Amino acid sequence: MKEQELSALKESAVYSAANWAKTGLGYFTMCDKVNDYIEATGANRAIDDDQEAIRYGREAAALAINIDAIHLLNKAEEQKLNEALISIADDLPQTRSRGFHR
């Protein structure tokens, strides 16, 4: 993915996250945009599907969104957004087993 596309995804996620934190509207839109950004960063992939490594990668990407949105929010809104982003990051995607199947 090109840097411009990744930057556009992040900007969209930051805008929707800040909008949700201020108004309380559009939670599922924010979740979708945050998850799209996290997927684009590659945080959902790790060697041997290590769940802990995936969780840390997702949290790092979510905190990058929080850092970019922090100047748009007051303290209460930022704390609300931080809790929501960590919750989204901890909701790990389902991984496929690479084992043999009958």
Side-chain angles (χ1 to χ4, degrees):
M1 176 168 279
K2 294 181 182 178
E3 186 66 31
Q4 296 167 345
E5 294 171 352
L6 188 62
S7 178
L9 281 173
K10 185 176 184 182
E11 185 178 321
S12 176
V14 168
Y15 175 76
S16 65
N19 186 40
W20 172 78
K22 287 182 171 288
T23 65
L25 301 173
Y27 177 78
F28 295 110
T29 301
M30 178 198 61
C31 288
D32 291 341
K33 291 184 187 245
V34 167
N35 278 320
D36 289 345
Y37 172 70
I38 289 173
E39 177 64 34
T41 62
N44 288 339
R45 295 181 295 275
I47 295 173
D48 295 331
D49 290 329
D50 183 12
Q51 295 296 309
E52 187 174 347
I54 292 171
R55 179 174 286 118
Y56 288 144
R58 288 178 60 86
E59 285 182 6
L63 289 176
I65 293 170
N66 193 17
I67 289 169
D68 283 358
I70 201 165
H71 72 281
L72 301 170
L73 307 170
N74 63 31
K75 186 175 181 175
E77 293 167 344
E78 190 276 326
Q79 287 177 343
K80 176 182 168 183
L81 178 60
N82 185 34
E83 291 172 6
L85 289 173
I86 294 300
S87 174
I88 292 168
D90 286 343
D91 186 22
L92 296 175
Q94 298 296 324
T95 58
R96 293 184 200 163
S97 173
R98 293 187 176 151
F100 295 103
H101 298 284
R102 291 185 177 213

